[in-house]
Structure formats: structure tokens, C-alpha cells
Amino acid sequence: MNFLKQFGLSRLAVIIGVSIGLAAVLAAVALNMTGKPQALLYSNLDLKEASEITAALDQANIKYQAKGDGSTLMVDRDTVGETRLMLASRGLPTAGSVGYELFDKAPALGQTEFVQNLNNQRALEGELARTIASLKGINSARVHLVMPKRELFQEEAAAPTASVVVGLSNSELSGDQVRAIRNLVAGAVPNLKANAVTLVDDKNRLLAAGGEDDALLGAGGAERKSEIEESLRKRVKEIVEGVVGPGAARVTVTADLDLNSLTREQIQYDPDGQVVVSTKTSSSTDNSNEGTADGTVTAQQNIPGAAPDAGAGATGSNSETTDELINYQNSNTKTTEVVAPGAIKKLAVAVVVDGTWTPSADGKAPPAYAPRSAEDMQQIEELVRAAIGYTDVTATDPNGRKDELKVTNIRFARDAAGLGGTAATAGMFDFTKDDIVSAVQWLILLVVALLVLFFVARPLLKFVNNGASGGASGMPALAGASGGMIAGPDGMPVPAGAMGALDYQGGTGLAVAPVDSRIDIAKIEGQVKASSVKRVSEFVERHPDESISILRSWLHDS
């Protein structure tokens, strides 16, 4: 107890607290080392199905741990395979996607064509969902296929369609990723086109609509718009800052895109460019002879083509006909134009330019500001027009786009370090998130170091120094109580502080050590004479046993 009292209440509390913390850390490390590592059993489970699985695990006395909202289950790593086999024997889980293994349990006989077609569609949907869920950035997927049949008296069946719902992992799908998923589904289903696939994410956002061309999708439209705006902004800023200096221009670009797909077909006929397509010519000749009727009827007259009788008069006629048919066709030009979505309908560009700053001659006064001239602003505006491909409906196509451009000279808000056309330097209190985290880490480290220094190192060093000051023989240094009086030689009262610190030297008695610095020297010199100190020394040499008794009494009193 005396040993513990030497530390004091506050030091004992700190030592006990540190000891308890170290014991807790060691216990946690020991428990982690002795515990078995956990592994994933199932994730993204339906809560109802998760309750059925946990009930089965409790019945089988298998320890598990539920994480998240209860849809993720963890078990010991060594028992994952056995646990899954046990649950599969009970038909769990059931809400997962079903692939072509559906046909492994199907009976060979007794199935109708409808059931076989339905199972085939279910298996195809399950396989597609598994493939999509394996892609980067996608946690889950569900696929619904609509595959119409060819009805009776119908030339061909309707085109199939598909709907896909994906669960994202803290990210958004780009236009290329959306196109990849749509083409993946279209390639796995016969006669399915990519633009017939509807894609939706788990945040109820439409990424691609059915019937929408895959050139620009719902997610790709905004991406395309941002790319155009950023490209034009960088182009304009690079040109303007090359004239006015870095940091002396601000550029904003807003693009209005046409996301509709358009197909134009045009046929032009040239009336002057006639071409003979076909020519048809036909001719006919007709000859006829007739005798003069004299009342005599002979057989020769009734013979077709026979010469008339010599004695009879004759008449004849000849005719020839020629027909020519020529077919002409005017030359024509047929033009089919497909306008892809993403064309720029309108551009709105705003450019703000800072003025000029002239440093003072002595360098002490702030720089002088001067606005830019009208000629300079006109040249900058012409450069911006050329950079963005400015189009005005009054100057070109009346049905074209109408761009807006505004170039203005305004004085920028700058500090003294940022004047002269250069960007202002960061302020003293412009901290980033990384700077704050780093500062907090250093602060915690400093606080821990100070606590260790004042409550651990300092008490230990003080305790060691106090123990070492007792001399080589192990007897601690002794001093009289401050202001106390002791019996000196010849019974003369002597202040205890006058004895100083005494070290026991074996066989030779006690020697007077240097007087403690805490003793008031001026006060002692007024009370003790030099002869008194000498007499005390002689008394100690003559009576060592009595001196030791006095020292022991001092120790007991202290």
C-alpha cells in the first residue's frame, strides 16, 4: 500500500486505465485469432426467403451472421460448401434466377409444348440475368422476354421485345455500357433487335427506352451533351486565354441537342434529261382484186386469189400500214438521308474577359485596372465565333439553328497575389478534405504523445530518480523537516535544515552533504553559527549509534 501511495491517485487512475485498455485490446486480438474466419453464404436475398434460410440454419445448429439489412448472410468459411448443399436439398434459395438447369429436373414424358416453351423462356431469362449481374458495377439483374408466336393465317410473327432491370453499385452506367447490355440481350434472343430492349436501373431511371435507336440512349444523351459542351468550352477558353492571359477568361457553353432520329428520302426528276427506254415498230400490207359483175357466175370467181376471167372486167386495191411505238423516261435522282440523333440545334456561349492590370512603378501600390478596348473585344468575339462554328439563321439557312454568343469585359474579383492576369493563389484557409483528415490525424498523434509523456513517462522517470538518490548503499537521502528543531551537541537546539542531507558511509559515520536548495540560506545563517555546524559534526563522529537513531526517528516522522 505504501508503494502504491507513492504514485498518487491521478497516476494510479491513469495506470489502471491504460492497463484496462491494453487488456481489452489483447483480449480482442486473442478472440479474433481464435475465432474462425467468416465467408459469404448468400447476398441480395429477399427478406422473406432470408428468414426461411436462417430458420433452416438454426434448425441445423449452424452459426451465422446477418449483415446489412438482413439480405446478406455470413457463415464460417470452412462450412460454406456444406451449408449450401444442405439448403439446396431443402429447395433454398428459391428466388434466385433459374438457368438451363431447369431442364435437368424436368420429366422426359408428360410435358406439353406450352410448358416446354415456357421453361425455355424462363431458362433464357435466368441465364441472361446471371450474365448481366456478373458485369462490373452491377449487383443484380432481372430480364423479361416477350416472344410472340406466329398465329394462324399470319405471314410472320411479331418482333420480340425485352425489359432489363439492373441494380447498380454506387455508380451510373455510361452510354457505352448501356449499349453493351442491350446488344448482349439482343444477341442471345432470335430476331430481337437492340433498340427493342428497354433498360431501367434500381433507382427508377430509364436508361434506354424500347424503340429508341442505340446511337444516343437515355443515359448517353446527357453524356453526349456534356461531351460537346466541355469540348467547346475548352476550345474557346484555350483561344481566349492565349490572348488575355491565363485565368483572365471564364467560358460557359450550353448545347441544345436533337435526340430524334430522322430518315429523309427524296426523288428528283429532270424533264430535260429524257432517255429512250424501248422502241417498237410494226408494219402491214393489204392487197385485194375484185371482178366486175356481168351477171355470169362462174366457179373461177369463187376461188380466192384466182385471176379473173379474160372476158370480165376487174378492179383491185393495195394498202400498207406502219406503226412505231417509242417509250421515253425522264432521268431521276433518288436520295436517302439518315439523320442520326445528337445534332446540335442551338448553342449558347457566354465569355467573360478580365481587363488589364498595370503594376505600379514603386511596387508598393496596388496595380491599376483598365478595361479592354472595343477593338480587342471585337477581335475576341470573332475568334469565339470561328471556334464554335457560329451560325445565324438570317445569314445562312432560314430553317437552321440560331446560336447565341455574348462576350463581355468585366473586372474580376482578385486579391493582390492574383492580379496581373494570373490566377489568384489559394487562401490560407482554403483547406481540402484531405488536408482536414491529415490535420486530424496529426492532432490525435500529438495528443497521444502528450498523454504518454505527462502521465506515463514523467511519473516513471521521477520515481526512478527518487529511488536512485538514496546512495549506493540503498539508504535513501534524509533531510530534516523544514523549519523543525533537533537536539544538537551539548543539548543545544539546532534547526533540522542545518543538518543538510546526510549520507551514511559505512564505518565512518555521517558526512554533511550540500544543503538542499529548498532551505532558506539567509534564514539559516541568522540562526546557526559556524561553530554549531562543527560541533554537530564532532558529535556524529563520537556518537554514531545515537546519530543513526536520530535519523531513523526522522524517517519515521516523515
Side-chain angles (χ1 to χ4, degrees), residues 77-141:
R77 185 177 60 186
D78 298 335
T79 61
V80 172
E82 298 176 359
T83 305
R84 289 180 178 175
L85 291 176
M86 184 272 295
L87 294 174
S89 64
R90 302 187 181 187
L92 295 173
T94 59
S97 60
V98 179
Y100 285 115
E101 69 274 5
L102 181 64
F103 294 98
D104 297 338
K105 300 180 181 180
L109 300 175
Q111 283 193 350
T112 62
E113 182 180 1
F114 173 78
V115 174
Q116 290 179 349
N117 293 335
L118 183 61
N119 289 339
N120 182 38
Q121 182 174 341
R122 288 180 58 196
L124 183 57
E125 291 174 350
E127 292 293 336
L128 285 173
R130 291 175 180 176
T131 304
I132 296 173
S134 64
L135 300 178
K136 183 179 180 180
I138 298 178
N139 291 332
S140 60

Side-chain angles (χ1 to χ4, degrees), residues 134 151 155 189 224 299 307 396 471 514:
S134 64
E151 301 295 341
E155 294 183 358
V189 180
R224 171 68 173 168
T396 57

